[in-house]
Amino acid sequence: MNEDSRPHERPLNEGAAEQIAFGLPGLPGARDFAAAYAHRQGMPDDRVGELLLAVNEVATNAVTHGNGRATMRVWCAGDHLVVEVHDEGHWPLDGASPGATPPGPYATSGMGLWVARRLSSGIDFATGASGTTVTMSFKV
């Protein structure tokens, strides 16, 4: 998997994206939402499993480190499925790309963005006054 790939831009036709809002209790529904979309696009089961691991890590971070609520949007761009998770929290990006460094040998936390980076074709982070958005792409 190419860790340095940039994910695809937002769809030109916003109606092309599907969206779900969720909180911590809604994480299973958010995962189901992403998996159902991936299956409808013809993504093979093994890659749906990888997508779900990455989505779970990013969505869990969004509701535990953000404000408790998040939104997930999914769409296709060419032969890639794009997943965007947005929450209203923010953190200062210090120049290092989040999740670029593997966790320590006995780490019990701090692995989520590293895992998402490893499983996605591309990942991008944006944070500011309106919150944080993580956008991942996955080859269908």
Side-chain angles (χ1 to χ4, degrees):
M1 295 184 213
N2 183 352
E3 294 179 43
D4 298 322
S5 297
R6 298 295 283 186
H8 298 278
E9 298 297 321
R10 288 184 173 208
L12 295 176
N13 173 1
E14 290 294 323
E18 295 183 23
Q19 179 172 310
I20 187 172
F22 60 98
L24 188 59
L27 278 171
R31 290 189 300 265
D32 291 345
F33 171 80
Y37 189 88
H39 279 120
R40 286 195 308 274
Q41 303 311 312
M43 184 178 278
D45 285 341
D46 60 328
R47 287 217 298 281
V48 171
E50 291 176 355
L51 173 134
L52 283 175
L53 285 171
V55 164
N56 181 65
E57 294 300 330
V58 171
T60 300
N61 280 354
V63 296
T64 57
H65 300 296
N67 70 343
R69 300 282 310 154
T71 304
M72 180 186 302
R73 292 179 356 114
V74 295
W75 66 90
C76 278
D79 64 349
H80 281 78
L81 186 149
V82 182
V83 179
E84 175 188 270
V85 178
H86 176 80
D87 65 70
E88 293 180 6
H90 55 87
W91 85 90
L93 294 176
D94 59 8
S97 185
T101 305
Y106 301 107
T108 58
S109 65
M111 296 175 248
L113 295 178
W114 182 77
V115 168
R117 181 178 292 280
R118 302 293 298 163
L119 295 174
S120 63
S121 300
I123 191 166
D124 189 42
F125 305 88
T127 189
S130 65
T132 297
T133 302
V134 178
T135 308
M136 302 174 284
S137 64
F138 302 87
K139 185 147 175 60
V140 176

